[in-house]
Amino acid sequence: MAFLRRPIKIALLGPVRARLLDLAGPWEVLSRVNEVLSESRPADEPGYQLELACRDNSRSINCFGGLEIKAKDFRSLDSRIGTLLVGGGEAVWELPRNDEFLDWLRLVSRKARRVAAIGSGAFFLAEAGLLQGKRVTTHWRWAERLQSKYPSILVDPAPVFVRDGKFFTSAGVSVSIDLTLAMVEEDFGHEVTAEVAKRLVIFVHRPGGQAQVSRALILQGAEHDRFRDLGIWISNHLADDLSIESLARRSSMSVRNFGRRFRKSFGITPAEFVNRCRLETAIDRLKQSSLTMEQIAVECGFSSAELLRRACHRLLGHSPSHYQEHMWRGISAKS
């Protein structure tokens, strides 16, 4: 394949108190790209030219857990940056406003080919006015706060990452790796991306439409074995009557008490959990089965393909056919 002739300048920025994986995840992926490319290109022609900077003049980033990382002052960076990655941290919305940094973000964003916010890094881009009218995501814990603080932004808490034009936003932490791999694939193709993922012993990538809070994570967080067992039962009986009344009877509880205790255990309502189970299973079958969308919808408890389409759009921002197309493209690429 044809490589890009010049290294892509990547600037990774973090607040004074940063989440380590927001920074280390992308840095490791991009460094591994250079390692892979060095085996077929001259050593002085890396794929990426990486720089780490902080949003003030402290010249260091103090990550949670006590790890301190040396970093440049953002003002020392060349404004001609190909990709800007802005990491998040703890309560970044409480940091003193830094107008100089916000002006710099606006300047760099106008010139950059891509601008990405990792986790709560979305608050910096939003404060700079760069996300108005755009569909974005962030870590599910901060989604409501981001929407409330910046009502002109369309915050979708479900996907692991979202792209709107040249702006990327993500859930952060481990998803920073998936987001970076998606960018690598855009720059250097699937072969390089797959090799990097193989060396890091991870999946090539999760699609941006995958849900942040999956059925497995919800079940893992259940406070009581009784409800965890019920959650597993629901997952195996998606075509049954899974109304709150039916589930309450199965649990020998009143509807009111069942709904209250279920939400306390899982953090979401019974209806939300059922919808996520049905949708996740439907997407898995769309990727792997030759059944029609109508057949899969009925098997997973949706009364019609139209209801499946609506749930898919509402929770993931894609139509079900998006996942079938990805499956067939993957098969064609392997053929």
Side-chain angles (χ1 to χ4, degrees):
M1 64 172 295
F3 289 112
L4 300 175
R5 291 185 176 181
R6 296 180 179 178
I8 301 171
K9 291 184 178 181
I10 305 280
L12 183 59
L13 283 93
V16 175
R17 289 272 288 168
R19 292 291 178 188
L20 177 59
L21 201 52
D22 283 3
L23 305 177
W27 191 275
E28 180 67 22
V29 169
L30 297 169
S31 298
R32 290 295 182 119
V33 171
N34 288 347
E35 175 185 286
V36 170
L37 294 179
S38 70
E39 297 170 3
S40 58
R41 302 178 72 187
D44 60 349
E45 294 184 19
Y48 295 110
Q49 181 180 319
L50 306 177
E51 293 188 289
L52 177 66
C54 52
R55 66 178 289 275
D56 55 28
N57 59 2
S58 64
R59 298 185 182 280
S60 66
I61 297 173
N62 298 303
C63 299
F64 288 84
L67 183 63
E68 182 177 346
I69 303 175
K70 291 183 179 179
K72 295 182 177 180
D73 186 321
F74 73 90
R75 287 162 289 204
S76 69
L77 299 179
D78 187 335
S79 62
R80 294 170 297 180
I81 294 168
T83 298
L84 175 65
L85 303 175
V86 182
E90 183 73 13
V92 297
W93 48 87
E94 295 178 359
L95 293 173
R97 182 182 172 92
N98 186 335
D99 286 319
E100 188 176 4
F101 175 64
L102 297 177
D103 288 341
W104 183 88
L105 278 181
R106 297 184 193 105
L107 172 65
V108 171
S109 296
R110 283 198 298 270
K111 299 178 179 179
R113 184 163 64 95
R114 288 181 303 224
V115 180
I118 302 168
S120 58
F123 284 84
F124 294 126
L125 298 188
E127 188 66 19
L130 298 172
L131 301 179
Q132 291 184 14
K134 297 190 179 299
R135 178 173 173 258
V136 307
T137 194
T138 186
H139 193 284
W140 59 269
R141 292 177 64 196
W142 318 128
E144 187 175 342
R145 180 185 292 272
L146 183 64
Q147 184 67 86
S148 176
K149 188 172 176 63
Y150 304 100
S152 65
I153 298 172
L154 308 175
V155 180
D156 186 346
V160 292
F161 67 83
V162 166
R163 181 178 189 174
D164 191 332
K166 70 177 181 179
F167 290 91
F168 293 74
T169 50
S170 79
V173 287
S174 67
V175 178
S176 66
I177 295 174
D178 300 281
L179 174 64
T180 309
L181 284 169
M183 293 180 178
V184 171
E185 187 163 25
E186 184 177 271
D187 293 338
F188 296 104
H190 179 75
E191 185 177 343
V192 171
T193 308
E195 180 60 26
V196 170
K198 183 178 179 181
R199 295 187 187 193
L200 292 175
V201 199
I202 56 176
F203 293 110
V204 173
H205 61 80
R206 283 178 283 189
Q210 183 171 322
Q212 281 191 41
V213 185
S214 67
R215 165 179 48 190
L217 288 177
I218 295 171
L219 286 171
Q220 180 176 290
E223 292 184 1
H224 304 289
D225 288 341
R226 177 180 187 178
F227 286 106
R228 188 180 297 114
D229 291 343
L230 177 63
I232 294 170
W233 182 87
I234 289 172
S235 297
N236 292 319
H237 296 80
L238 296 177
D240 290 6
D241 174 12
L242 299 180
S243 64
I244 187 171
E245 293 80 8
S246 175
L247 295 175
R249 285 195 300 272
R250 182 174 183 82
S251 302
S252 301
M253 299 170 67
S254 70
V255 170
R256 184 177 179 181
N257 189 39
F258 172 78
R260 179 181 60 80
R261 292 185 63 182
F262 189 98
R263 181 157 192 156
K264 183 176 184 296
S265 183
F266 287 107
I268 60 175
T269 67
E272 289 172 324
F273 179 78
V274 168
N275 280 336
R276 290 187 186 188
C277 287
R278 284 174 167 162
L279 185 56
E280 282 188 38
T281 302
I283 288 173
D284 286 343
R285 292 186 183 176
L286 284 167
K287 292 177 180 177
Q288 300 169 13
S289 172
S290 59
L291 295 176
T292 67
M293 193 178 302
E294 189 73 34
Q295 289 172 316
I296 290 173
V298 172
E299 281 189 3
C300 294
F302 296 98
S303 58
S304 68
E306 180 57 30
L307 288 180
L308 171 57
R309 288 189 189 95
R310 291 178 188 176
C312 205
H313 271 293
R314 185 176 67 253
L315 291 175
L316 301 178
H318 289 295
S319 67
S321 59
H322 168 85
Y323 297 95
Q324 287 181 312
E325 290 165 6
H326 273 275
M327 177 191 73
W328 292 115
R329 280 205 297 269
I331 292 172
S332 297
K334 294 174 184 176
S335 299

